[in-house]
Amino acid sequence: MTSNKVPKATLQRYPVYLKALRKLKASGRERIMSKELADYVGIESTTIRRDFSFLGKLGKQGYGYDVESLINIFSEELGVNFAEKIILVGCGNLGKALLNYNNWNHVVGEIVCAFDIAPEKVEHASVPVYALKDIREKMPEGCRIAILTISQDVQETVDLLVSAGIRGIVSFCTDHFTVPSGIFVKQVDVVSSIQELVFETNLIEK
């Protein structure tokens, strides 16, 4: 792993490249020039070549880059596994919308099952839906990531997820909760994002 040597701005672009490369591979593309990739992702080709240089000599003059080789390199660098098993906790309106989306655009894995306090009320789900109380028994083998879209008993549910082996949580919850050291949380707060945009827009217009 070389991420400790790579600038933060470059690391933030690596997932963009990986997403594009996986889409290119899915369309049958085997190799690509930096200029072509630049047009595809909207990033200058000089920036792409510099970003790639941190990972070694990846391309060949006149040939370009091997798409599959780049995917393997970026996947290793980012620790991204396209087969990542993700669970969803909470099958309300937002949870159902995420299940309907469930392709993650060639970047990570997919939601393989969901949990809810009333699974019998969840209709037409694209994955199996189990009772939350059965999460230890129904947790997919190797699953590390959970998406949380619940509005009640949040801390108790988080504690249950951690005890069942979850190490990363994407939370759409408005309630605050705590996690032990070594558990990673990404908070998705749409209201705060809108507030920030309103504030920034107002500053520009003044």
Side-chain angles (χ1 to χ4, degrees):
M1 295 292 288
T2 60
S3 11
N4 58 336
K5 304 175 185 177
V6 181
K8 184 177 180 181
T10 296
L11 278 175
Q12 290 174 338
R13 286 189 290 269
Y14 281 173
V16 176
Y17 301 141
L18 180 57
K19 173 181 174 179
L21 290 163
R22 280 181 165 154
K23 292 175 77 172
L24 286 164
K25 180 183 177 182
S27 69
R29 195 69 179 267
E30 295 182 356
R31 64 186 177 96
I32 191 167
M33 307 294 287
S34 59
K35 180 64 172 64
E36 295 174 302
L37 185 58
D39 293 338
Y40 196 80
V41 298
I43 297 173
E44 292 289 338
S45 58
T46 52
T47 300
I48 290 175
R49 288 193 294 271
R50 185 174 65 248
D51 288 348
F52 285 11
S53 69
F54 288 102
L55 302 177
K57 188 172 177 58
L58 305 183
K60 297 177 182 178
Q61 186 70 31
Y63 176 87
Y65 300 98
D66 182 85
V67 171
E68 186 162 3
S69 294
L70 283 181
I71 290 173
N72 293 335
I73 291 168
F74 282 122
S75 296
E76 181 180 351
E77 180 67 24
L78 297 170
V80 174
N81 180 0
F82 191 48
E84 189 79 43
K85 297 175 183 177
I86 305 168
I87 63 168
L88 174 75
V89 181
C91 294
N93 291 334
L94 177 56
K96 289 176 182 176
L98 291 171
L99 283 178
N100 288 335
Y101 176 73
N102 201 19
N103 66 19
W104 310 107
N105 214 4
H106 302 282
V107 180
V108 291
E110 62 179 353
I111 299 172
V112 295
C113 67
F115 294 88
D116 196 86
I117 57 173
E120 69 280 357
K121 296 181 180 180
V122 182
E123 299 180 348
H124 310 301
S126 57
V127 299
V129 180
Y130 305 116
L132 183 59
K133 64 182 178 63
D134 297 330
I135 194 166
R136 287 191 181 88
E137 293 76 23
K138 299 295 185 179
M139 177 71 74
E141 184 179 355
C143 179
R144 305 176 300 169
I145 308 296
I147 301 174
L148 200 56
T149 63
I150 60 176
S151 58
Q152 60 185 15
D153 300 325
V154 176
Q155 185 65 62
E156 292 87 341
T157 303
V158 168
D159 293 343
L160 183 60
L161 289 172
V162 173
S163 69
I166 291 298
R167 293 295 173 261
I169 298 171
V170 179
S171 172
F172 288 84
C173 304
T174 55
D175 289 3
H176 173 74
F177 61 84
T178 60
V179 295
S181 175
I183 305 299
F184 302 94
V185 177
K186 293 294 183 182
Q187 187 72 40
V188 181
D189 190 336
V190 177
V191 174
S192 293
S193 297
I194 295 173
Q195 288 175 332
E196 290 173 9
L197 282 174
V198 170
F199 179 71
E200 292 168 353
T201 304
N202 288 340
L203 285 179
I204 293 172
E205 293 179 349
K206 286 182 180 179

